[in-house]
Amino acid sequence: MTSVRGKRLCLAQQSEADELLSRDPFALLVGMLLDQQIPMERAFAGPVQIAARMEGSFDPCTVAAYDPDGFVEVVAGPPAVHRFPTAMAARIQTLAKHLDEEYGGNAAAVWADVKSGDDLLARLSALPGFGAQKAKIFVALLGKQMKVRPRGWREASEPYGEDGAFKSVADVTDAGSLAKVRQYKQEQKVEQRPLARPVRQTRNS
């Protein structure tokens, strides 16, 4: 296993979960995949729960070959790793198969030899379940916290690569920064809400 580089992560806010994320690139990718429609720290605690429940090693090859129904049970718990365990179990296995086939089961190879931020972004965008925003956030996470900094990584991860910002999981290093990121996301949701149409008044006949 090729570990991630840099300091100890604090994304799940749980010692055992963060230890796994810090040393296992596959766990980190799975946590990022799970990070939607549930609290961020719950998403990144998911990999250690899955690893504890599985039969066999928690790695792309084993997960890819796991019985699909059995893997749904692993993700479903209880407690469930995600609010949509069936869909997420399938997505995790699809990601694992991609990593097994394209990178020989070595998740860190996705970013190990990249020459530029654009190259890194393209590789991450090609991962199943990683849309444009998720890929940019992960580029920022690698650059800010794991010292994976190919030329142009900040530009490739805009606006999440901005130094001193608290816009995504890339900026979470403790409970305080998590609160700031959560506040930013709440503010973004408010700004993106459509304005209510004014009530049209009619004359009484």
Side-chain angles (χ1 to χ4, degrees):
M1 179 185 297
T2 303
S3 64
V4 295
R5 295 179 293 170
K7 62 184 179 180
R8 171 73 172 267
L9 297 172
C10 191
L11 308 180
Q13 312 281 299
Q14 298 176 21
S15 178
E16 186 178 3
D18 284 323
E19 192 278 329
L20 179 62
L21 296 171
S22 299
R23 65 177 171 80
D24 185 348
F26 178 53
L28 191 60
L29 285 171
V30 171
M32 191 72 216
L33 182 68
L34 290 167
D35 186 19
Q36 58 186 72
Q37 297 183 296
I38 59 174
M40 183 188 305
E41 63 272 30
R42 179 182 169 190
F44 283 93
V48 77
Q49 292 178 297
I50 294 171
R53 297 170 186 172
M54 280 181 57
E55 293 181 5
S57 302
F58 180 67
D59 58 63
C61 181
T62 304
V63 172
Y66 215 87
D67 173 69
D69 291 336
F71 196 68
V72 170
E73 292 180 2
V74 168
V75 177
V81 170
H82 195 276
R83 63 185 297 193
F84 302 117
T86 301
M88 280 301 172
R91 291 186 183 185
I92 293 169
Q93 285 198 290
T94 299
L95 173 63
K97 290 174 183 176
H98 179 87
L99 294 171
D100 189 37
E101 294 170 358
E102 299 296 326
Y103 295 97
N106 179 12
V110 175
W111 55 82
D113 60 348
V114 291
K115 304 301 182 184
S116 70
D118 288 340
D119 183 19
L120 177 56
L121 181 63
R123 290 191 185 189
L124 290 167
S125 297
L127 296 179
F130 276 63
Q133 183 184 45
K134 194 178 288 288
K136 284 188 173 188
I137 291 172
F138 203 84
V139 171
L141 176 60
L142 289 173
K144 289 182 174 182
Q145 299 205 43
M146 281 158 284
K147 300 181 181 178
V148 178
R149 297 168 180 169
R151 174 178 47 83
W153 71 271
R154 285 193 191 275
E155 292 79 3
S157 63
E158 287 183 352
Y160 304 103
E162 178 185 349
D163 197 19
F166 293 94
K167 296 181 177 180
S168 74
V169 66
D171 305 296
V172 175
T173 57
D174 52 27
S177 54
L178 173 62
K180 290 180 180 179
V181 170
R182 181 162 288 137
Q183 180 181 357
Y184 170 79
K185 291 191 172 188
Q186 290 173 343
E187 291 172 353
Q188 289 297 106
K189 287 181 180 179
V190 171
E191 290 179 5
Q192 293 170 4
R193 286 176 187 168
L195 295 175
R197 292 184 178 181
V199 177
R200 184 176 180 182
Q201 295 183 352
T202 59
R203 292 182 179 180
N204 292 328
S205 55

